Amino acid sequence: MSDKTLMLGAFQTFGLGGAWRLPANTSVDFLQLDHWVTMAKRLDQAGVDFLFFADDYSYPVLDGRVIDVAIEKAVLFPRGDPSTILSALALVTERLGLVVTSSTTVEKPQMLAKRLATLDHLSKGRIGWNVVTGSGQNASSKLMGEKMIAHDDRYAVADEHVNLTMKLWEGSWEDDALKVDKENGIYADPSKVHEIEHDGPFFKAHGLLTVPPSPQRTPVLFQAGTSPRGRDLAARYAEAVFVAAEVDMMATQIADIKARAEQFGRSADAIKFMPAGTFIVAETEAEARALRERMVGYQTLEGAAAAYAFFTGLDLASMDLDKPLATTKTEQGRTNVERFSGENGKPAPTVRQILDEFRRNGVMGQPFIGTPEQVVDQAEAVIETTGADGFLVQPDPTGGYDDFIDLVMPEMRRRGLLTEAPSGPTLRERIFGEGQARLPHDHPGTAYIAATPVAVG
Amino acid sequence: MSDKTLMLGAFQTFGLGGAWRLPANTSVDFLQLDHWVTMAKRLDQAGVDFLFFADDYSYPVLDGRVIDVAIEKAVLFPRGDPSTILSALALVTERLGLVVTSSTTVEKPQMLAKRLATLDHLSKGRIGWNVVTGSGQNASSKLMGEKMIAHDDRYAVADEHVNLTMKLWEGSWEDDALKVDKENGIYADPSKVHEIEHDGPFFKAHGLLTVPPSPQRTPVLFQAGTSPRGRDLAARYAEAVFVAAEVDMMATQIADIKARAEQFGRSADAIKFMPAGTFIVAETEAEARALRERMVGYQTLEGAAAAYAFFTGLDLASMDLDKPLATTKTEQGRTNVERFSGENGKPAPTVRQILDEFRRNGVMGQPFIGTPEQVVDQAEAVIETTGADGFLVQPDPTGGYDDFIDLVMPEMRRRGLLTEAPSGPTLRERIFGEGQARLPHDHPGTAYIAATPVAVG
């Protein structure tokens, strides 16, 4: 075991958790401020590094219609807008990072830049942006009244979107543009505030980010999605990558993204890798296993098929249950097609096996189950095998993190796996160390940093 | 004086106030959470009905370039995103309404619907949407990389946008669709959740609002903009209208919008009218007048020209100072062109007079200046002349509302002008009375309310 300490994020959607039916599960309160305030305070005080909100404009659809069972059983539905809650959470927490998802096929770069720059100010530099490309295109493109964008094109859109957004954040204001000089009536130096000029195939922009420079400028860039195009996007721009698959597949993905990043001139430790971590923990292994089975018991094969349709667009119910996937062709997310296609060197499972895997584990890979000692043993093994840097922790069966905080973190701390004094105050410093509030020098976004040309001799 | 009580809103931009240079002015802290938390708590406790955030993606531009003086003097620049702060303010207040501006030419209806529905939940029904059409098109269309939309077309876009957004809010979920039945594992009844079908000239949407029904469904609809097309939009949809002009012009505008609303089948009191109210108040009239002159002293003619360019697209500096407007043709906002064009039956002022009016009063009309008794006398006269329902109160010279709350509101209360026990808990009930949380029956948005057809024998 290396002596590195683990980074911990808390994974949430702004909706119901898979275990919402458990009597003690509180995720049905997701539209109440208090629900999030209580959770965020707890995470902050416990020393979890950040709260991460997945999001999507999509929901499970087949043949162009929402799947009834998704509404009835709350499968990847409903969803509120997590960007709306961040200022309240910034207010009640001291150091917790706040990571929010925004899709590059839905939100305009100019709007996202203004919104996240404002939030980066309000939180004093604690914002992260999880860049997604909109894998749920079959639903969201219809909702938005737009043509569905093919998988690889979505990554070209994402690449340009991220670049334009970084231009706005890094290039609009020079570091010393802001004066706030009441005496002389000078708010900012116009010669140090620059209009961005961008003319790309997907986006055009000529103008200003109207928000003065925030502590991090570019929020910490998160990414998920591990198709070849997704890995390429991660290797170019991501500072933290969320992975979720079987352990050996995660190891391959992480090694591949690291190698690609180095090809792009980024350092080997420029990206932190965060596997999904589902901790089902109790005083005894038997209790933990019983809890686990109770949770799985709430999941139906119909719900699993709806979830699979959400992530891939494929209709498992229309396929032969005893054969592998009848087609692996999709223009939606490929991560969960390639995972089960036999293309990764593993034998392709049958549709029945895929449904059962989705029913039990969804997209989050194998859970850790047992006593605190056992789950931390299992988690340490994942870190060792994959070279990952920590976990994006899935909520407890209750929807929050009380078990994780009360039972798992003390065991991690006992083993020296957690930092005692995280650096800050910004999220990027918390992840990469004191003084690193801005993008590092080997990040492509630094090319856009605004500076007045210096006349040379 | 009628016996009606006054509605009070607090007007803010998420940026600097015009008096930011005053040593005591705190608006330079607009990117700090505490600044807004303190202000919102004070307004809530004082009994102000709502906090209103104007917003725009625009800034002063001429000939396609940002105007330097706007950056230097902070003229309608900088700007953060006010939608980000609302959850923090909902958390620290009990009853204060929270009204946010979103432009129908910038934000997609589907995104706005999700965002404001989430906020309406988090605030327990205290959200209002100020519908603007994007009058600052010369800057924002370039920033967004889009073609500038002509003035009248913008209103056609706005009309369709508002209708689609109301469809999503009112039509996606029937009142009894949500079950949250843990025992039987039924979150919602799929037969009572409906996909919206919309195919218009400007927007298409086929899909769901993924947010369960919020307390108000459609947030309270605010509108400003008093061109003929703007009045038409207000008369059709608005529940509260912000007006700012000379008193007799406001009276004409209000009467006209009321008459149009009645033509559209809405009741005479379906719309509340809120003139801008700038209260410059002190213990003596002389002190108030001195304060006023000090504030005006901070404003320059250059800044006034930049502000005029922002609102109208017209370049006063290029015109003869001693003649009326050289052109009244603009595809940007017309409110402040028509105001000075002589088309309203008043003699057209010279460019010099327009600049001086803009330097002194901007777009907010005549301030009320004097002792508490004097300013409330002046305010009452405006209510009487115009038939308005209250004021959208401009910030004190300090950027907040301490003077207004400590000096003006007690005088209003003494005269019985303020409600002692506002109804609630939603903003619509606060404005229109107990039990009126949803759109009233004569509002066109009610046509979209989802209901399962009842089979008739």
Side-chain angles (χ1 to χ4, degrees):
Chain A
M1 188 66 204
S2 78
D3 62 354
K4 75 179 165 192
T5 54
L6 298 180
M7 197 162 71
L8 296 176
F11 179 97
Q12 287 286 325
T13 61
F14 207 88
L16 268 63
W20 70 272
R21 291 185 59 188
L22 269 183
N25 189 287
T26 60
S27 68
V28 290
D29 298 328
F30 77 100
L31 289 164
Q32 317 241 354
L33 266 175
D34 286 349
H35 172 73
W36 298 107
V37 164
T38 304
M39 186 190 296
K41 279 181 168 172
R42 188 88 224 269
L43 292 168
D44 193 36
Q45 285 156 9
V48 171
D49 295 295
F50 59 85
L51 174 55
F52 174 106
F53 283 106
D55 193 33
D56 207 298
Y57 274 82
S58 186
Y59 37 80
V61 157
L62 278 174
D63 302 327
R65 285 266 310 140
V66 61
I67 303 171
D68 279 353
V69 76
I71 294 174
E72 184 172 293
K73 301 291 179 195
V75 178
L76 299 154
F77 177 91
R79 284 281 183 279
D81 179 342
S83 76
T84 60
I85 194 91
L86 302 186
S87 69
L89 303 189
L91 185 66
V92 298
T93 56
E94 294 284 327
R95 305 182 308 170
L96 186 70
L98 301 166
V99 184
V100 68
T101 296
S102 177
S103 164
T104 51
T105 52
V106 175
E107 182 124 37
K108 291 178 189 171
Q110 300 89 334
M111 301 181 72
L112 184 74
K114 183 180 178 188
R115 180 162 296 133
L116 294 194
T118 306
L119 284 164
D120 201 49
H121 276 285
L122 297 177
S123 66
K124 302 196 189 296
R126 292 190 276 143
I127 300 297
W129 170 27
N130 181 39
V131 182
V132 299
T133 60
S135 59
Q137 278 279 302
N138 58 351
S140 64
S141 63
K142 275 174 61 86
L143 174 62
M144 295 297 166
E146 289 163 0
K147 284 209 187 91
M148 184 162 162
I149 308 171
H151 180 274
D152 287 2
D153 288 348
R154 280 206 307 281
Y155 279 92
V157 171
D159 192 289
E160 189 182 334
H161 186 301
V162 171
N163 275 279
L164 171 52
T165 315
M166 292 192 303
K167 272 189 204 178
L168 289 160
W169 281 323
E170 301 288 338
S172 298
W173 297 68
E174 293 185 38
D175 285 347
D176 58 348
L178 196 66
K179 304 299 180 192
V180 198
D181 175 353
K182 286 189 171 195
E183 183 79 23
N184 297 299
I186 296 174
Y187 179 70
D189 179 348
S191 73
K192 294 175 184 286
V193 179
H194 306 285
E195 290 181 89
I196 296 302
E197 305 288 334
H198 179 93
D199 280 289
F202 303 107
F203 300 102
K204 294 189 198 315
H206 301 267
L208 283 181
L209 178 68
T210 58
V211 188
S214 75
Q216 301 184 119
R217 304 290 190 99
T218 298
V220 179
L221 298 173
F222 284 68
Q223 202 267 356
T226 45
S227 72
R229 291 300 299 266
R231 293 183 205 181
D232 195 75
L233 187 77
R236 284 180 198 273
Y237 306 112
E239 301 177 84
V241 172
F242 173 43
V243 283
E246 288 68 34
V247 174
D248 47 356
M249 199 181 299
M250 284 197 293
T252 308
Q253 289 168 352
I254 290 173
D256 180 58
I257 294 172
K258 280 192 176 182
R260 289 175 194 240
E262 289 193 74
Q263 279 170 16
F264 295 134
R266 300 179 66 195
S267 77
D269 55 0
I271 305 176
K272 302 292 184 187
F273 292 90
M274 309 278 287
T278 306
F279 295 81
I280 312 282
V281 67
E283 306 255 321
T284 68
E285 185 181 336
E287 280 175 81
R289 295 211 170 272
L291 179 56
R292 160 72 170 165
E293 289 314 310
R294 192 155 161 223
M295 289 171 69
V296 170
Y298 285 134
Q299 308 304 322
T300 63
L301 288 176
E302 271 183 310
Y308 196 79
F310 174 90
F311 285 105
T312 66
L314 300 183
D315 181 9
L316 295 182
S318 71
M319 299 183 192
D320 187 332
L321 286 175
D322 296 311
K323 292 194 175 155
L325 288 172
T327 176
T328 60
K329 196 169 148 44
T330 179
E331 292 300 337
Q332 289 194 230
R334 288 194 181 152
T335 301
N336 284 286
V337 177
E338 287 163 8
R339 183 179 161 199
F340 299 121
S341 65
E343 289 163 31
N344 50 51
K346 291 198 147 193
T350 64
V351 168
R352 193 188 304 277
Q353 288 167 327
I354 295 171
L355 275 173
D356 195 54
E357 169 66 18
F358 246 68
R359 187 173 78 92
R360 296 187 68 84
N361 299 327
V363 295
M364 294 307 173
Q366 280 289 338
F368 308 129
I369 305 172
T371 65
E373 293 74 20
Q374 288 174 318
V375 295
V376 177
D377 285 347
Q378 295 161 34
E380 280 204 271
V382 167
I383 296 292
E384 207 148 344
T385 308
T386 61
D389 299 279
F391 292 98
L392 203 45
V393 180
Q394 302 302 305
D396 289 343
T398 56
Y401 300 89
D402 289 344
D403 287 351
F404 180 75
I405 290 168
D406 293 335
L407 302 174
V408 182
M409 286 183 75
E411 178 62 22
M412 288 178 163
R413 192 160 276 128
R414 204 181 60 71
R415 300 187 194 189
L417 295 173
L418 301 182
T419 314
E420 290 309 319
S423 49
T426 65
L427 177 57
R428 188 172 281 111
E429 285 166 292
R430 183 154 188 164
I431 298 174
F432 293 101
E434 210 73 43
Q436 303 198 40
R438 304 280 301 273
L439 285 174
H441 293 301
D442 58 5
H443 193 283
T446 58
Y448 303 127
I449 293 174
T452 306
V454 179
V456 186
Chain B
M1 187 67 204
S2 77
D3 60 354
K4 75 178 163 192
T5 54
L6 298 180
M7 197 163 70
L8 296 177
F11 180 96
Q12 287 285 325
T13 62
F14 207 88
L16 268 63
W20 70 271
R21 290 184 60 187
L22 268 183
N25 188 288
T26 60
S27 69
V28 290
D29 299 328
F30 78 98
L31 289 163
Q32 316 242 356
L33 267 175
D34 286 350
H35 172 73
W36 298 106
V37 164
T38 305
M39 185 189 298
K41 278 181 171 173
R42 188 88 224 268
L43 291 168
D44 193 35
Q45 284 156 10
V48 171
D49 295 296
F50 59 84
L51 174 55
F52 174 105
F53 284 105
D55 192 34
D56 208 298
Y57 274 81
S58 186
Y59 36 82
V61 158
L62 278 174
D63 300 327
R65 286 263 313 138
V66 60
I67 303 172
D68 278 355
V69 74
I71 295 174
E72 184 171 292
K73 301 290 178 196
V75 179
L76 299 155
F77 176 92
R79 283 281 184 279
D81 179 343
S83 76
T84 61
I85 194 90
L86 302 186
S87 69
L89 303 189
L91 186 64
V92 299
T93 56
E94 294 284 327
R95 304 181 309 170
L96 186 69
L98 300 166
V99 184
V100 68
T101 297
S102 177
S103 163
T104 52
T105 53
V106 176
E107 181 123 39
K108 293 177 189 171
Q110 299 90 335
M111 301 181 73
L112 184 74
K114 183 180 177 188
R115 181 162 296 133
L116 294 194
T118 307
L119 283 164
D120 201 50
H121 276 285
L122 298 178
S123 66
K124 301 197 190 295
R126 292 190 275 144
I127 300 297
W129 169 27
N130 180 38
V131 182
V132 299
T133 60
S135 60
Q137 278 278 302
N138 58 350
S140 65
S141 63
K142 276 173 60 88
L143 174 63
M144 294 296 166
E146 289 163 0
K147 285 209 189 88
M148 184 162 162
I149 308 170
H151 179 274
D152 287 1
D153 287 349
R154 280 207 306 282
Y155 279 93
V157 171
D159 193 288
E160 189 183 333
H161 186 301
V162 171
N163 276 279
L164 171 51
T165 314
M166 291 191 303
K167 273 189 202 178
L168 288 161
W169 282 323
E170 302 289 338
S172 297
W173 298 68
E174 294 184 37
D175 285 346
D176 58 348
L178 195 66
K179 303 299 181 192
V180 200
D181 175 352
K182 287 189 171 194
E183 183 81 22
N184 297 300
I186 297 173
Y187 179 71
D189 179 347
S191 73
K192 293 174 183 290
V193 180
H194 305 285
E195 291 180 88
I196 295 302
E197 306 288 334
H198 180 93
D199 280 287
F202 302 107
F203 301 102
K204 293 188 198 315
H206 301 268
L208 283 181
L209 177 68
T210 58
V211 187
S214 76
Q216 300 185 120
R217 303 291 189 98
T218 298
V220 179
L221 297 173
F222 283 69
Q223 202 268 355
T226 45
S227 71
R229 291 302 297 265
R231 293 183 205 180
D232 195 74
L233 188 75
R236 284 180 197 272
Y237 307 113
E239 302 177 83
V241 173
F242 172 43
V243 283
E246 287 68 33
V247 174
D248 47 356
M249 200 181 298
M250 285 197 293
T252 308
Q253 289 167 353
I254 290 172
D256 180 57
I257 294 171
K258 281 191 177 184
R260 289 175 194 240
E262 289 192 75
Q263 278 170 17
F264 295 133
R266 300 179 67 196
S267 76
D269 54 0
I271 306 176
K272 302 292 184 186
F273 292 89
M274 308 279 286
T278 305
F279 295 81
I280 313 282
V281 67
E283 305 257 321
T284 67
E285 184 181 337
E287 281 176 79
R289 294 210 172 274
L291 179 58
R292 160 71 171 166
E293 289 313 311
R294 191 154 163 224
M295 289 171 68
V296 170
Y298 286 133
Q299 308 304 322
T300 64
L301 289 176
E302 272 182 309
Y308 197 79
F310 174 90
F311 286 105
T312 65
L314 300 183
D315 182 8
L316 294 182
S318 71
M319 300 181 192
D320 187 333
L321 287 175
D322 296 311
K323 292 193 173 157
L325 287 173
T327 174
T328 59
K329 196 172 146 44
T330 179
E331 292 300 338
Q332 287 194 229
R334 288 195 181 151
T335 300
N336 284 286
V337 177
E338 288 164 8
R339 182 178 161 199
F340 299 121
S341 64
E343 289 165 28
N344 49 52
K346 290 197 147 194
T350 65
V351 168
R352 192 188 305 276
Q353 287 167 326
I354 295 171
L355 274 172
D356 194 56
E357 170 66 18
F358 246 67
R359 187 173 79 90
R360 295 186 68 86
N361 299 328
V363 295
M364 295 307 172
Q366 281 290 336
F368 309 130
I369 305 173
T371 65
E373 293 73 20
Q374 288 174 318
V375 296
V376 177
D377 284 348
Q378 295 161 32
E380 281 202 271
V382 167
I383 296 292
E384 207 148 343
T385 308
T386 62
D389 300 280
F391 292 98
L392 202 46
V393 180
Q394 302 301 305
D396 288 344
T398 57
Y401 301 89
D402 289 345
D403 285 352
F404 180 76
I405 291 169
D406 294 334
L407 302 175
V408 182
M409 285 182 75
E411 178 62 22
M412 288 178 163
R413 192 159 276 127
R414 202 180 60 73
R415 299 189 193 187
L417 296 173
L418 302 182
T419 314
E420 290 310 318
S423 49
T426 65
L427 177 57
R428 189 171 282 109
E429 284 165 292
R430 182 152 187 165
I431 298 174
F432 293 101
E434 210 73 44
Q436 305 199 40
R438 304 282 300 273
L439 285 174
H441 293 302
D442 57 5
H443 193 284
T446 57
Y448 303 127
I449 292 174
T452 306
V454 178
V456 186

